[in-house]
Amino acid sequence: QVQLVESGGALVQPGGSLRLSCVASGFTFSSWSMSWYRQAPGKERELVAAISGTGSSTNYADSVKGRFTISRDNAKNTVYLQMSSLKAEDTAVYYCNVRRGMSYWGQGTQVTVSS
């Protein structure tokens, strides 16, 4: 069965950096696009970034362009989200996602940006 396990969330000061990881299992990882979403308290879940199966194509929400970078290591079945210049409004639970007929989600990892 498909499993997605996120890690790397933490409390970080504004302007700081953080790298999230998501380890996938249960499917042929390199064949599928992967995405990161986030959900802040009281808000809907939103797409942050996505990456194609080969890693050759990426796209980002306007709010994170130039600050976040999505990447993947197909040998390790892992997708990453490098976050820099973090702002208070980046505070959210971050989720890894893959869509294979249906949508699969990890348990999420909390990112809190606060001084």
Side-chain angles (χ1 to χ4, degrees):
Q1 70 278 22
V2 174
Q3 283 194 318
L4 302 171
V5 179
E6 302 98 333
S7 63
L11 170 64
V12 62
Q13 292 187 343
S17 297
L18 207 56
R19 188 176 82 158
L20 306 183
S21 300
C22 170
V23 179
S25 61
F27 62 102
T28 305
F29 182 72
S30 59
S31 296
W32 296 91
S33 296
M34 298 294 297
S35 302
W36 283 97
Y37 283 75
R38 67 185 181 187
Q39 187 166 21
K43 295 189 177 181
E44 293 188 355
R45 195 171 294 190
E46 63 172 353
L47 176 66
V48 175
I51 186 167
S52 62
T54 62
S56 60
S57 177
T58 58
N59 63 277
Y60 298 90
D62 287 344
S63 59
V64 307
K65 279 181 182 175
R67 301 188 298 120
F68 290 12
T69 302
I70 189 171
S71 62
R72 65 191 297 159
D73 184 338
N74 286 344
K76 295 182 178 180
N77 282 12
T78 302
V79 60
Y80 304 98
L81 186 67
Q82 179 68 46
M83 306 184 293
S84 60
S85 301
L86 283 162
K87 306 175 182 179
E89 50 263 44
D90 295 318
T91 295
V93 178
Y94 283 71
Y95 297 92
C96 184
N97 172 268
V98 63
R99 290 184 177 167
R100 299 176 64 245
M102 62 176 286
S103 203
Y104 295 88
W105 300 92
Q107 82 287 353
T109 187
Q110 176 71 49
V111 173
T112 302
V113 184
S114 175
S115 55

